[in-house]
Amino acid sequence: MPEFEFKSEIHLLKLLGLKAKNIEELYENIQIAPLSSIYYHTHRFLKQHHFLSPEPPNDFAFWIKNSLNIKDLSEAVASIDTVKFEGLKELKNEILKVLSSYLKKVRSINNCEKGDEFHFISCQTFVLPTGYKSSNLREFYEIIKMIDINSIYFHIFEAKLRLKKNENDFQSWLNQINENELALKLANLDPYNMTLENLRNKILKILREKVK
Amino acid sequence: MRNINDYEPIVGKNVINELYFLGEKLKGKKIQNINSTAVGGGVAEILSKMIPLLKDLGVDAEWNVIKGDGKFFTITKKMHNALHGRKENLTREEFDYFIEVNRENQKVMNLSSDIMFIHDPQPILLVEKKNEFKNNWIWRCHIDITQAQDDVYEFLKSYIHRYDSCVFSAPAFSKRDINIQQIMIPPSIDPLSDKNKELEEEYIVKTFEKYRIDMSRPVVTQISRFDYLKDPLGVIEVYKLVKKYNDCQLILAGGGATDDPEGMKVYEQVLEAAKDDPDIHVLLLPHDDLLINALQRGSTILMQKSLKEGFGLTVSEALWKEKPVIASAVGGIPLQITHKYSGILTYSIEGTAYYLKQLLNNPDYAKQLGKNGKEHVKNNFLITRHLKDYLMLFLSLYYKDDIVYF
C-alpha cells in the first residue's frame, strides 16, 4: 500500500511594488501580477484568519468593500467560486471578468483614501516534511486528528489550485488505496466555505465511518 | 539567556521543528549582520535577540557594527529624518563624508561571509565589496520610506540596486522603481520579554493598588509616551464622551518625557485636561517593562489612538495580553487588527467613543475580540515568525523557484 507523506508549507512574502487606488488600477495590476500574487491574495485569509470566520474574504473583495465602499462589486468578487477553477490562471481571468463588467457600467471611478491603496504581494512557498506518514486508513485518520492545520491546508488547497492537480492530495491517495467512495466524498467538500478547523472535523467525520 | 526551545510551550512543537529544519538547510553558510550600533534602538534590540536564537538553530550567524564619528552619525541622522519625509538639507560634502566613512569600514571589516545582511542606510555602501567576494547581499530597511526625500532616496537607490534582495516591514514601504527582489518581513514581539511575559495575578493587583486604581470597575488604558502623535488629549475626550453613560476609569501611562520639552508640554496639558476627574490616572513612569505589562494585563480595554505610527508594534503587545484593543487605522496597525474580528479600528474621537461604549457594554464580544487578537499575534507577530521569515529569506538566495520542495 502506498504511503501518504504529510507535508506542510510556509511562505516568504514578496512585495511587487504595484499598488492600486481604484478599480481601474486594480484591474490593470491584476493583469500583470504573477499567478503567485493571485494565489496569495485569494488564499491569505484562509490561513491568517482560519480561527475567525468561515467566510473567506479574499483581499480584493475585502479592499473593494472596506477602502472603496463598493459593496456589490465586493460581493461579486468574494462570491467567485474558487473551488471550481482548475488553476490560478482561470481564477485570475474570472476576477478580471467581474472587474471588467463593473468598469463597463460605471461612469466615474472613485479613488480610495491616500494611504489605503491596495498593495500587490506574491509569495515563494517552501514545502517541508512534517515527519508524519501513514500507510493505512487508520493511521491516516489518527494523523489528520492531530497534524498542524497548515498541513491540511497544503494538501487540500495548494495541491489542487496551484499545483494544478485534478484532485486534492487526500483524494488522490484514497483513490490509490481503493477507497474511492471516501475520495468522492472528500471531492464534494467545498473547503472555501468553512474554517480550517471545521474542514479538519468534516474530513474526520467522513473517515470515521470507515475507520470504526 | 533564552533558548529557542523556551518558545515551544507558546508556539507549539511544529513551529520549533520547522525552524530547526530550515536552520539545517543553511548548514555551511555563514550569515553576517551589520548595523551601526550595538546598543539602543530597535535594530540593536532585535539583533541581540535574533543572533543567539539563530545560533540555537545551528545557523552560523554573526553581528558586527560599523565605526563612525559624531559627524558621520549627524549625517546619518539627517538621512534618517529625510527618509521619514522631514525636509533636510544634505550637502554634497555630507554625502561624500558618508561615502568616505563607509569605505574606511570596507577596508577594516571582513565582508566575505556567504550572506551579508546589512541593516538600515548607515552601512549601505559596504555592498561595493560584493564583486570582490561574489557573495550574497541583503539590505534590510527597518524604516518607513514612503515619504522619503528625493535626493536621499536616489542616492541610496543607486546602492540598493547592487544588493540581491531588500527587505521592508510593510507593503506600503515597497517601491516600484527598485528592481531587485523586495521581501516583506514585519517586525515582531518577544512573548518571553518582561514587556510581554505572563505575570502573577498578585503582581498585577499590587501594581493597581500602588497607583490606587480600582480593579473592580472597568479600566481603559493607553500606554504611550506623552506625544501629540499619540493623541492623549483625544483619548481624554473619548473617555469623557463615554463616561456620561458608562462607569469607567482611564489610565494614560508613559515615560520618557523629562528630557523632551515638547513631551513635557503634552504631559502638562494632559494633567490639566484630567485634573477634575479622579478616575483619570495620568502616570509618568520610569522605564519599567514589567510595570507596563501589569497595567496592560489588569486593564479591561486597551487603546492606541495614535494620529501617526510607524508599524505600531505596541498594538501587537496589547493584543498579546488577550485584551480587546481599539486603535486608530494608521501606519502598520491595520496589518495587526482586522476590524471587528481581532480588535477595533477607528478614525475619529466620536468613532472611538462609540466603539468603546460597545465593548464596555458587551463584555462577551470584547472578550472574543481579545481572544482572536491574541491568536492573530501568535500566528503573525511573534519573534518565532520573524526568525522563520529570516531563514526563508536566506534560503531564497539559493532556491529561486516559486515553490521549493524539501
Side-chain angles (χ1 to χ4, degrees):
Chain A
M1 193 177 273
E3 274 190 336
F4 187 87
E5 188 184 351
F6 286 83
K7 293 184 171 164
S8 187
E9 59 165 12
I10 48 180
H11 304 291
L12 179 66
L13 305 186
K14 298 187 175 183
L15 299 165
L16 299 174
L18 298 173
K19 62 180 176 180
K21 60 179 182 296
N22 56 43
I23 295 297
E24 217 161 37
E25 290 181 3
L26 186 71
Y27 180 84
E28 284 162 11
N29 285 331
I30 289 178
Q31 276 185 315
I32 56 173
L35 292 177
S36 57
S37 176
I38 305 302
Y39 170 78
Y40 175 77
H41 290 298
T42 50
H43 287 71
R44 178 182 75 98
F45 261 93
L46 277 166
K47 284 183 92 172
Q48 274 205 353
H49 297 271
H50 62 77
F51 50 91
L52 294 176
S53 152
E55 183 195 2
N58 70 58
D59 286 347
F60 302 123
F62 192 79
W63 180 76
I64 292 167
K65 185 171 158 194
N66 287 282
S67 300
L68 295 175
N69 200 24
I70 312 173
K71 290 177 183 151
D72 53 346
L73 180 63
S74 168
E75 189 178 273
V77 175
S79 56
I80 290 173
D81 187 8
T82 315
V83 79
K84 84 173 185 204
F85 296 99
E86 279 177 14
L88 289 165
K89 201 167 167 211
E90 293 78 4
L91 176 62
K92 172 176 171 163
N93 288 339
E94 182 66 20
I95 296 169
L96 287 172
K97 203 170 110 192
V98 171
L99 295 181
S100 159
S101 72
Y102 171 84
L103 284 169
K104 274 180 202 149
K105 72 177 189 207
V106 288
R107 291 190 184 157
S108 64
I109 299 287
N110 292 331
N111 292 340
C112 67
E113 299 253 343
K114 198 169 164 17
D116 218 5
E117 296 85 1
F118 187 93
H119 294 273
F120 282 79
I121 294 174
S122 72
C123 60
Q124 184 178 19
T125 299
F126 293 85
V127 179
L128 316 177
T130 62
Y132 292 103
K133 286 177 189 172
S134 66
S135 51
N136 59 52
L137 204 57
R138 153 85 42 202
E139 284 174 8
F140 185 71
Y141 175 81
E142 293 300 330
I143 294 172
I144 294 268
K145 254 201 306 207
M146 45 68 69
I147 191 95
D148 189 271
I149 202 75
N150 279 325
S151 178
I152 293 181
Y153 175 90
F154 172 75
H155 290 295
I156 294 276
F157 293 93
E158 190 86 36
K160 192 160 180 283
L161 198 59
R162 202 165 170 205
L163 308 183
K164 297 206 80 165
K165 294 180 185 169
N166 287 329
E167 46 192 12
N168 70 53
D169 287 344
F170 293 160
Q171 274 171 263
S172 167
W173 183 71
L174 288 168
N175 277 325
Q176 278 178 46
I177 62 165
N178 299 321
E179 292 289 354
N180 309 78
E181 202 183 318
L182 289 179
L184 188 66
K185 281 184 182 169
L186 275 190
N188 289 335
L189 279 180
D190 177 359
Y192 288 92
N193 279 312
M194 57 188 95
T195 65
L196 289 176
E197 279 305 334
N198 279 342
L199 176 61
R200 184 206 301 269
N201 290 334
K202 285 258 161 85
I203 297 170
L204 286 172
K205 196 173 165 198
I206 290 170
L207 297 173
R208 202 171 294 135
E209 286 171 28
K210 200 70 190 252
V211 173
K212 263 197 298 197
Chain B
M1 183 62 83
R2 280 188 282 281
N3 180 280
I4 187 68
N5 298 322
D6 297 336
Y7 293 88
E8 190 182 312
I10 297 170
V11 298
K13 201 172 171 44
N14 287 330
V15 170
I16 302 297
N17 285 347
E18 274 177 4
L19 293 175
Y20 274 111
F21 181 87
L22 296 171
E24 174 73 22
K25 291 283 163 201
L26 284 162
K27 215 165 198 164
K29 304 288 182 206
K30 183 167 183 157
I31 293 138
Q32 192 176 353
N33 290 266
I34 297 179
N35 78 324
S36 65
T37 170
V39 283
V43 180
E45 189 185 330
I46 193 71
L47 282 172
S48 66
K49 287 182 177 174
M50 282 286 189
I51 303 297
L53 293 175
L54 284 168
K55 285 183 174 166
D56 288 344
L57 295 167
V59 177
D60 185 2
E62 193 181 284
W63 173 18
N64 305 107
V65 176
I66 55 161
K67 290 195 175 73
D69 56 8
K71 185 177 168 188
F72 175 73
F73 287 112
T74 306
I75 295 166
T76 59
K77 178 74 190 165
K78 279 171 87 173
M79 279 185 160
H80 184 91
N81 289 339
L83 289 171
H84 268 293
R86 208 157 94 181
K87 180 84 191 109
E88 291 282 358
N89 185 25
L90 276 117
T91 62
R92 188 63 251 168
E93 194 266 332
E94 286 175 313
F95 281 117
D96 287 344
Y97 193 71
F98 177 84
I99 294 170
E100 190 185 321
V101 172
N102 263 272
R103 290 196 177 143
E104 288 302 317
N105 278 283
Q106 287 173 14
K107 284 182 202 158
V108 294
M109 295 180 91
N110 180 1
L111 305 172
S112 64
S113 297
D114 300 289
I115 298 172
M116 299 299 304
F117 197 12
I118 309 301
H119 297 262
D120 277 347
Q122 299 90 340
I124 196 166
L125 253 80
L126 298 181
V127 74
E128 287 183 323
K129 283 284 185 184
K130 184 181 170 190
N131 277 346
E132 190 173 317
F133 297 110
K134 307 276 180 243
N135 46 2
N136 291 290
W137 288 67
I138 305 168
W139 185 59
R140 194 344 167 184
C141 180
H142 292 268
I143 50 184
D144 175 357
I145 57 166
T146 42
Q147 310 289 328
Q149 192 173 299
D150 285 347
D151 58 342
V152 177
Y153 175 62
E154 288 301 323
F155 171 77
L156 293 178
K157 200 172 75 182
S158 60
Y159 297 101
I160 296 171
H161 283 163
R162 301 190 192 186
Y163 284 80
D164 296 286
S165 293
C166 61
V167 182
F168 294 106
S169 296
F173 302 174
S174 74
K175 297 271 188 188
R176 183 96 195 252
D177 60 0
I178 292 179
N179 58 16
I180 57 167
Q181 170 171 265
Q182 299 181 58
I183 304 291
M184 181 171 97
I185 301 184
S188 61
I189 64 165
D190 181 357
L192 297 179
S193 67
D194 283 350
K195 224 190 272 186
N196 298 310
K197 68 183 185 186
E198 294 282 340
L199 295 176
E200 299 280 341
E201 187 61 27
E202 195 189 330
Y203 180 78
I204 298 170
V205 171
K206 278 197 173 146
T207 302
F208 275 69
E209 279 171 4
K210 182 177 162 192
Y211 291 103
R212 297 172 188 204
I213 302 158
D214 179 5
M215 287 186 87
S216 67
R217 294 158 54 217
V219 180
V220 180
T221 298
Q222 173 157 308
I223 306 282
S224 63
R225 53 174 205 277
F226 292 95
D227 180 327
Y228 286 116
L229 295 178
K230 308 295 176 190
D231 202 18
L233 292 167
V235 175
I236 293 180
E237 278 188 60
V238 168
Y239 161 84
K240 285 182 175 169
L241 287 173
V242 172
K243 183 79 172 180
K244 287 184 209 164
Y245 309 99
N246 289 81
D247 180 33
C248 61
Q249 304 158 88
L250 175 67
I251 302 176
L252 285 167
T258 44
D259 59 345
D260 167 13
E262 192 177 277
M264 271 324 276
K265 200 171 142 200
V266 176
Y267 173 65
E268 279 156 16
Q269 286 175 343
V270 169
L271 281 182
E272 179 62 25
K275 72 178 180 195
D276 296 325
D277 190 333
D279 277 341
I280 305 181
H281 302 269
V282 182
L283 311 177
L284 185 59
L285 302 174
H287 182 84
D288 183 345
D289 287 344
L290 282 173
L291 173 58
I292 297 290
N293 188 348
L295 287 173
Q296 288 182 314
R297 287 186 186 272
S299 297
T300 319
I301 293 168
L302 298 175
M303 303 239 296
Q304 190 65 53
K305 210 210 139 312
S306 305
L307 302 174
K308 200 171 173 188
E309 276 292 346
F311 196 83
L313 207 53
T314 47
V315 166
S316 277
E317 284 166 1
L319 292 168
W320 181 243
K321 276 96 183 180
E322 211 172 322
K323 297 289 170 185
V325 177
I326 304 178
S328 305
V330 294
I333 292 176
L335 291 176
Q336 299 166 73
I337 289 181
T338 303
H339 183 53
K340 294 205 223 173
Y341 285 130
S342 51
I344 298 291
L345 290 175
T346 61
Y347 300 85
S348 64
I349 286 172
E350 292 74 19
T352 310
Y354 167 75
Y355 281 110
L356 180 54
K357 278 186 279 186
Q358 291 260 321
L359 296 192
L360 286 169
N361 291 322
N362 298 286
D364 289 343
Y365 174 54
K367 197 174 168 188
Q368 191 56 44
L369 288 182
K371 268 189 190 296
N372 291 345
K374 182 172 185 180
E375 191 66 20
H376 184 55
V377 171
K378 183 178 155 186
N379 290 327
N380 299 291
F381 294 105
L382 294 188
I383 192 166
T384 40
R385 190 276 308 152
H386 205 160
L387 265 173
K388 186 167 72 180
D389 282 350
Y390 274 180
L391 294 167
M392 283 193 285
L393 166 70
F394 303 147
L395 287 167
S396 76
L397 297 166
Y398 302 99
Y399 298 89
K400 306 284 184 189
D401 290 343
D402 258 4
I403 303 177
V404 179
Y405 292 92
F406 284 127

